[in-house]
Amino acid sequence: PVTGRAPASAAPEAAKPPAASAGAIAGTIRIAPGLARDVAPTDVLFIIARKESAGPPLAVRRIEAPKFPLTYRLGAENVVMQGMPFEGQVTLVARLKKDGSPGPPKPGDLEGVYPKNPVTVGAGAADIVLDKKY
């Protein structure tokens, strides 16, 4: 018989913060309220993890046309030099690039730094707010 109710399996799942696994970092990236108007559909987001606060990136994730808030996961699959382990403590930076190219920020780019850097690989809720405009 028809009951007028959807089966329990059809119920929408509540939004959960991203969970990190042992070899990854996860979190949410948001735009500071005053900078939301500076986001364009052609922008490219880079999530960058470094072993030191300066120096070459250990891992980078590139996301075209990001929608905010954006949940992310950065793991071994994002390591720049194959064979390098994605482990230990890293510093996290998110950079929204106007020209879509990797590298240092240019005028108009937005950036956010994880406020509790360094973060240990395996952490969840590594949330970043893009709050600096170059």
Side-chain angles (χ1 to χ4, degrees), residues 33-114:
L35 297 176
R37 66 184 175 280
D38 294 311
V39 177
T42 53
D43 293 347
V44 176
L45 179 69
F46 291 88
I47 305 165
I48 306 157
R50 288 184 166 88
K51 276 291 188 187
E52 308 293 331
S53 57
L58 172 63
V60 176
R61 178 147 181 224
R62 182 181 195 272
I63 301 170
E64 293 185 25
K67 303 271 189 260
F68 297 97
L70 178 138
T71 56
Y72 76 92
R73 180 183 179 282
L74 192 66
E77 67 276 10
N78 305 113
V79 169
V80 177
M81 289 179 46
Q82 296 301 31
M84 290 289 294
F86 191 62
E87 62 189 19
Q89 292 197 316
V90 298
T91 60
L92 276 183
V93 174
R95 187 173 296 145
L96 191 67
K97 301 279 291 184
K98 293 293 178 187
D99 66 3
S101 68
K106 297 179 180 160
D109 291 346
L110 302 181
E111 185 176 87
V113 176
Y114 179 60

